[in-house]
Amino acid sequence: MTHASETTNATDDDSGFKTAGKDHGNGNGSGNDSGNGSGRGDEGTSHLLSTASLPSWLTPVARAARTIQPLQLSRFLPPESGAGRQSAVLVLFGEGERGPELLLMERAGSLRSHAGQPSFPGGSLDPEDGDPRTDGPLHAALREAEEETGLDPRGVQLFAVLPRLFIPVSDFVVTPVLGWWREPSPVGVVDPNETARVFTVPVADLTDPANRVTAIHPSGHRGPAFLVESALVWGFTAGVIDRILHFAGWERPWDRSKQVPLDWRA
């Protein structure tokens, strides 16, 4: 099994994510809700996706996902040849005691790469997941989440996918699959050799300017990061969260000069 966080190599905190003020548009599109184009993971409308009965607070996320274009997220788009290691992550929104929240996991500290790094559940597509251009990423995101966290996929309503993102360093093509945790189920560490913990983060903490920083890698690469739940969320995962907050209109002004250095083991 390949962890979703393995799509975030040492230099992937410069994975091409756009930052506020550098977007190619405002995320509202041009009135074309198909949102398809180079890099999108939803070439066809999947019967596995539904926006019915979503909570009202998820409406701006679903709206943004319909219209956002690949270049509004990242300058690195999947190869037109179709090459690359196809993978998917589950960006799962739930509702906890403090309101909307996201499900994350933290890699075991004993791993040789990305030890202790938070990530979304996810990983590489398996042949049985199906076509990577249609439903394959949806099946993979749910399957990997179940394998890694014990999540019951029957309680998850998938409602959108974001454009596929390419990470040149690791050759991963990653499809972020958005879900609503309609019927929460118990989650936790399934394999302690791979995962240190499974936890949720309130969206209120992710939007709190006090918890937002810029992560600086020794190589000079920099990207958005979050100091939440006793963890530093950075790299690919932080980039996706940052863009969702921005295009959903949830982002609050924060001090980008506040920096947190990473080390070479990151």
Side-chain angles (χ1 to χ4, degrees), residues 89-107:
V89 295
L90 179 64
V91 184
L92 184 60
F93 291 90
E95 192 152 11
E97 295 181 357
R98 296 182 52 205
E101 58 186 17
L102 274 175
L103 178 69
L104 295 177
M105 50 184 282
E106 187 174 300
R107 286 169 57 80

Side-chain angles (χ1 to χ4, degrees), residues 32-238:
N32 179 5
D33 281 350
S34 66
N36 291 333
S38 177
R40 286 207 72 91
D42 54 347
E43 279 81 350
T45 301
S46 171
H47 70 282
L48 298 178
L49 297 175
S50 172
T51 57
S53 303
L54 287 179
S56 59
W57 56 264
L58 268 178
T59 299
V61 178
R63 182 185 302 119
R66 287 197 304 270
T67 59
I68 193 170
Q69 297 298 304
L71 283 175
Q72 292 177 306
L73 290 180
S74 174
R75 67 178 181 272
F76 295 140
L77 302 185
E80 293 184 2
S81 65
R85 303 167 64 186
Q86 300 293 328
S87 63
V89 295
L90 179 64
V91 184
L92 184 60
F93 291 90
E95 192 152 11
E97 295 181 357
R98 296 182 52 205
E101 58 186 17
L102 274 175
L103 178 69
L104 295 177
M105 50 184 282
E106 187 174 300
R107 286 169 57 80
S110 58
L111 293 175
R112 289 181 298 175
S113 61
H114 318 298
Q117 184 175 339
S119 69
F120 298 117
S124 297
L125 270 66
D126 286 347
E128 59 267 28
D129 292 323
D131 191 339
R133 296 169 298 177
T134 54
D135 286 346
L138 282 66
H139 290 296
L142 289 175
R143 174 183 55 76
E144 288 282 349
E146 182 178 15
E147 292 177 1
E148 293 175 337
T149 73
L151 171 79
D152 185 348
R154 294 174 297 182
V156 175
Q157 177 180 335
L158 302 181
F159 65 89
V161 296
L162 294 180
R164 291 193 302 269
L165 304 173
F166 184 54
I167 302 179
V169 171
S170 53
D171 198 37
F172 271 99
V173 176
V174 189
T175 301
V177 179
L178 308 187
W180 158 236
W181 208 352
R182 187 184 63 249
E183 299 176 11
S185 55
V187 292
V189 174
V190 175
D191 184 353
N193 292 318
E194 294 189 353
T195 307
R197 62 171 173 151
V198 176
F199 60 102
T200 57
V201 179
V203 171
D205 288 350
L206 294 167
T207 59
D208 186 344
N211 297 332
R212 304 211 57 179
V213 296
T214 298
I216 309 295
H217 195 272
S219 63
H221 298 308
R222 53 199 295 140
F226 302 82
L227 291 165
V228 290
E229 300 297 321
S230 303
L232 174 65
V233 182
W234 64 282
F236 177 87
T237 302

